[in-house]
Amino acid sequence: MTPKQKATLQRLGPFIALVLVSVGLAVLSPDFLTVANLLNVMRQVSINALIAFGMTLVILLGGIDLSVGSILALSSVAIATLIQAGVDPLLATLLGVLGGGLMGLFNGLVISKGKVAPFIATLASMTILRGLALVVSGGSPITGFNSDLFSMLGGGYVAGLVQVVS
């Protein structure tokens, strides 16, 4: 194998593996390639995909952020807690997003102004924020929302028009 072929294979390897796994799953399960299943898979990975876009920029700029999952967890717990306390779901969501942004800003300030290595700063943030999310939620799922807007957003609807999963 020439170096050029090897480089091409390394570049296309993940895509080839994805195609092979998809073909294998399609052969093994007739339900795999259904519209409902594919939309369900896309809905499940959407949050990680959004985080991955941001992380791509961070990594391209030479940084690392280990705390994004914990920021998401604490922001989500805050939103759920606010909605259960009777706060309008749209306002609770905006406050949760603002809180997540402030946590990211804090990480950035610790790294840039405090001269702390990104790995260390975000590792500490990850631990602290995940612990806070567990304390606030009591380590249990937060359920029982009585909001049509929240149910629509969390129930698999896109722009309130199309139900993604039944």
Side-chain angles (χ1 to χ4, degrees):
M1 183 177 290
T2 67
K4 186 175 181 179
Q5 289 172 327
K6 189 174 182 179
T8 301
L9 184 60
Q10 284 178 334
R11 195 175 72 248
L12 295 177
F15 178 73
I16 292 169
L18 176 66
V19 170
L20 290 175
V21 168
S22 297
V23 168
L25 290 171
V27 169
L28 293 172
S29 173
D31 295 324
F32 180 72
L33 288 179
T34 62
V35 171
N37 184 57
L38 295 175
L39 289 173
N40 188 36
V41 169
M42 285 191 283
R43 185 173 63 97
Q44 289 178 10
V45 302
S46 62
I47 293 172
N48 288 337
L50 289 172
I51 291 172
F53 288 133
M55 285 303 299
T56 300
L57 294 174
V58 170
I59 292 169
L60 285 174
L61 295 171
I64 187 77
D65 189 348
L66 303 175
S67 67
V68 291
S70 297
I71 290 173
L72 174 66
L74 185 56
S75 297
S76 299
V77 166
I79 292 167
T81 303
L82 288 169
I83 291 173
Q84 275 197 331
V87 175
D88 178 66
L90 188 57
L91 177 60
T93 302
L94 290 173
L95 290 171
V97 170
L98 177 65
L102 290 173
M103 289 178 246
L105 177 64
F106 177 77
N107 279 342
L109 289 172
V110 167
I111 292 165
S112 63
K113 301 294 183 195
K115 305 294 185 212
V116 177
F119 185 87
I120 301 300
T122 61
L123 180 64
S125 292
M126 177 186 76
T127 305
I128 293 166
L129 298 174
R130 184 61 54 127
L132 281 172
L134 284 169
V135 167
V136 171
S137 70
S140 300
I142 301 172
T143 60
F145 301 104
N146 294 325
S147 165
D148 292 336
L149 174 64
F150 192 79
S151 295
M152 180 193 69
L153 291 174
Y157 290 88
V158 176
L161 301 175
V162 181
Q163 184 174 7
V164 178
V165 291
S166 55

